[in-house]
Amino acid sequence: MTIVYEEKSTADGAGPNGAVWAAFLAAGIGAFAMGLVVLLNEAGIFVAPTLYGPAGGVSGRTTIAVALWLIAWVFLHARWRNREVEPGRVAPAVFVLIGLGVLGTFPPVWGLF
């Protein structure tokens, strides 16, 4: 039995980087989702369910954020896995999303809403 791997390479000999940047952007989306869910929960707009009693509402908030991260990762990976993605366009978005996510979990920010 012979297994044939299809090589997809770029001009510099490396493979396409789309899967890597899909993972990075999905991580940013997941971090942003966590901050958004916490912020909406603290503002009383959305109440995350308690999935594990001793952990309280944080179990529901983190589960929602993880689910959104996984959905984003699957979607982006399917679209970008064989593409060459320009890091200069994705990296700033990743950093902004992570920053906003961290900001959304910061208690003094909750008081603004």
Side-chain angles (χ1 to χ4, degrees), residues 14-91:
N17 64 359
V20 173
W21 285 105
F24 276 111
L25 186 56
I29 291 170
F32 177 74
M34 183 67 200
L36 183 64
V37 169
V38 168
L39 196 60
L40 292 175
N41 188 72
E42 294 301 323
I45 297 171
F46 172 76
V47 178
T50 299
L51 301 177
Y52 179 64
V58 75
S59 61
R61 292 189 294 266
T62 54
T63 300
I64 291 169
V66 167
L68 292 173
W69 162 65
L70 287 173
I71 290 168
W73 193 6
V74 167
F75 177 77
L76 290 170
H77 181 81
R79 292 192 50 105
W80 290 2
R81 67 179 170 212
N82 293 325
R83 294 184 183 178
E84 189 68 22
V85 175
E86 180 65 38
R89 296 177 61 189
V90 179

